[in-house]
Amino acid sequence: MPNMSPNKVSMPIQDPNVRINNFDEVALGYTKEMAIEEAERCLHCKYQPCVNGCPVNIHIPDFIEKVKEGEFEEAYKIISLTSTLPAICGRVCPQESQCEKLCVRGIKTEPVAIGRLERFVADHHRENNDVPFEKPASNGHKVAIVGAGPAGLTCASDLAKLGYQVTIFEALHVAGGVLMYGIPEFRLPKEIVQKEISHLKELGVEIITNFVVGRSDSIDAIMNDGYEAVFVGSGAGLPNFMGLPGENLKGVYSANEFLTRINLMKAYQDNSDTPVQRPKKCVVVGGGNVAMDAARCARRLGAEVHIVYRRSMDELPARKEEVEHAQEEGIIFDLLCNPVKVEGNEEGWCTSIECIRMELGEPDESGRRRPVAIEGSNFTIDIDCMIMAIGTSPNPLIRHTTDGLQTNRKGCIVCDEEGLTSRENIYAGGDAVSGAATVINAMGAGKRAAAAIHKKISG
């Protein structure tokens, strides 16, 4: 009989008063007993709606059935049929808006904790059964990948398993993309990211770092080196700003810069070669997951942190779990507010931010109610640090150095459903196409492009 408990098995977590003083992982993971108990909540539905909600179509009821039986390694094999990065997806995917959103149990009660079970299975495999992947026999074809983020890694993995000689060209000094520079250690330990990437190397994937496509060499030059197709998964790493007076003052960061210093360069460690400001009072502008990550990092550096967001809590786009964790950690939410100006001192450092209060009007094109400024409601918050987390765009370097590559008005590469761009044999996917989105959506794009590349080359 299924476990008909209306609630998920709770995830053990670090105490908030302890975790604000470290960068260790907040969520501690299920035990075997917890995983089996939660797996018993799955009804193993005939039509499996949860699978349709997964961008990489993991066979969710099948792997959960194996967890219920205590066959954890078999569960891992099922997940690995379609997912390249299960330990990562189990931690950072927005399951509540994807697979869990369609879970039948979620109609009247809490859905099955699919993400927590995926994480458990991947962690159990890594800790107990991790063996090197076997390199497939070569099929004699070469494919290049631009960017070692979720889209590029997934595309590379799928092609390598089919026997392709795959080379990834990565601009940073380490592979992983946003998984390494954007998501904090307390949400996604970097050791786990690198372990997942090591499996690609076992498959024969070559990763060339410190290679900026468009500067080190062009896509056309890469293709002239014998590569029959190129997949562009270069992400969206160009930060957006609001154009406020005072945005150029010292102490004003883009979330990209702040998080890269913290996550990739470990600037929170005393022996780090990369400096980062340790603010006393910080404002983070934005309401997405990146804003939560930046705010929670600043909190761990010892700051009083305010999140300034122009809509209400109901419209906040960040994951519910991340918002709850931020609240537990003492982060202050100044909602229905918008910054209008940053003030500074004679030394050029930011000292305060002027905001105006907002109210919600009619819905905009996104369907959310449009925030409208309330005249005369201006107020000031004293700060010594400000972090702008209002979105990112694709870097223009690739489109400016690749003739005939069509992009839209936001600078995103235009491609068809299989990832084929306006240039023959050049494919693209992930944030470079969609703008900033989720890890799992980028992986889905990488999978579709890999299938299309194989179809084209193999005939």
Side-chain angles (χ1 to χ4, degrees), residues 48-60 63 79 82-83 89 93-95 97-102 114 118 440-441 443-444 447-448:
Q48 304 186 349
C50 54
V51 177
N52 296 326
C54 174
V56 296
N57 299 124
I58 291 173
H59 306 307
I60 293 167
F63 100 73
I79 295 173
T82 55
S83 177
C89 292
C93 275
Q95 290 94 5
S97 62
Q98 295 178 155
C99 54
E100 293 183 15
K101 182 179 180 180
L102 300 180
I114 298 169
E118 181 182 13
I440 192 67
N441 281 331
M443 290 174 61
K447 288 188 74 68
R448 291 191 295 275

Side-chain angles (χ1 to χ4, degrees), residues 235-376:
L238 185 67
N240 297 335
F241 285 88
M242 295 178 67
L244 302 177
E247 262 186 359
N248 293 325
L249 288 166
K250 289 183 284 187
V252 179
Y253 293 81
S254 70
N256 266 34
E257 178 189 355
F258 186 76
L259 290 172
T260 298
R261 288 175 179 268
I262 295 290
N263 302 326
L264 185 64
M265 308 308 295
K266 309 290 188 194
Y268 60 88
Q269 297 178 351
D270 293 336
N271 61 351
S272 173
D273 292 333
T274 298
V276 73
Q277 182 183 357
R278 292 183 176 266
K280 294 179 181 177
K281 192 168 183 180
C282 174
V283 159
V284 178
V285 180
N289 290 323
V290 173
M292 299 304 127
D293 287 342
R296 296 175 69 194
C297 285
R299 185 77 179 99
R300 283 159 172 75
L301 295 178
E304 174 188 313
V305 183
H306 293 243
I307 287 178
V308 171
Y309 178 61
R310 61 183 185 156
R311 290 184 168 94
S312 72
M313 187 66 78
D314 290 338
E315 288 79 29
L316 204 72
R319 295 186 66 189
K320 180 181 177 182
E321 181 178 80
E322 301 309 316
V323 174
E324 290 173 351
H325 284 174
Q327 291 173 320
E328 291 170 356
E329 292 165 10
I331 291 169
I332 300 162
F333 284 73
D334 291 320
L335 304 175
L336 288 169
C337 300
N338 209 34
V340 294
K341 183 169 61 174
V342 187
E343 300 281 2
N345 58 23
E346 293 179 355
E347 288 76 37
W349 285 90
C350 62
T351 56
S352 66
I353 177 174
E354 181 182 334
C355 298
I356 189 167
R357 300 198 185 278
M358 314 291 285
E359 60 184 358
L360 296 179
E362 295 301 315
D364 60 16
E365 61 275 5
S366 71
R368 293 183 299 173
R369 293 174 64 192
R370 187 187 302 274
V372 180
I374 301 174
E375 197 170 334

Side-chain angles (χ1 to χ4, degrees), residues 56-207:
V56 296
N57 299 124
I58 291 173
H59 306 307
I60 293 167
D62 295 343
F63 100 73
I64 292 179
E65 186 70 18
K66 292 300 180 184
V67 174
K68 184 170 69 174
E69 296 169 357
E71 299 288 344
F72 306 131
E73 190 59 22
E74 291 302 311
Y76 178 80
K77 291 176 181 177
I78 292 170
I79 295 173
S80 298
L81 291 173
T82 55
S83 177
T84 305
L85 309 169
I88 293 169
C89 292
R91 286 170 163 82
V92 303
C93 275
Q95 290 94 5
E96 66 275 10
S97 62
Q98 295 178 155
C99 54
E100 293 183 15
K101 182 179 180 180
L102 300 180
C103 176
V104 171
R105 288 299 304 270
I107 296 173
K108 294 184 178 180
T109 62
E110 286 190 336
V112 176
I114 298 169
R116 295 175 184 177
L117 290 174
E118 181 182 13
R119 168 188 164 154
F120 166 80
V121 168
D123 288 353
H124 185 275
H125 170 80
R126 186 181 67 255
E127 294 163 5
N128 296 279
N129 300 290
D130 195 33
V131 294
F133 283 22
E134 289 187 20
K135 182 180 177 180
S138 173
N139 64 13
H141 299 284
K142 292 173 62 177
V143 175
I145 309 289
V146 179
L153 295 173
T154 301
C155 188
S157 175
D158 282 12
L159 290 170
K161 290 174 182 176
L162 293 168
Y164 288 87
Q165 180 183 336
V166 180
T167 304
I168 300 178
F169 298 92
E170 167 57 39
L172 294 175
H173 64 282
V174 63
V178 70
L179 305 173
M180 290 297 294
Y181 74 77
I183 303 175
E185 184 84 15
F186 54 79
R187 282 217 294 137
L188 180 62
K190 305 311 161 200
E191 180 183 1
I192 289 174
V193 177
Q194 291 306 308
K195 186 62 180 179
E196 300 274 54
I197 291 171
S198 72
H199 292 315
L200 272 73
K201 296 178 180 178
E202 292 163 2
L203 291 170
V205 175
E206 181 184 9
I207 302 177

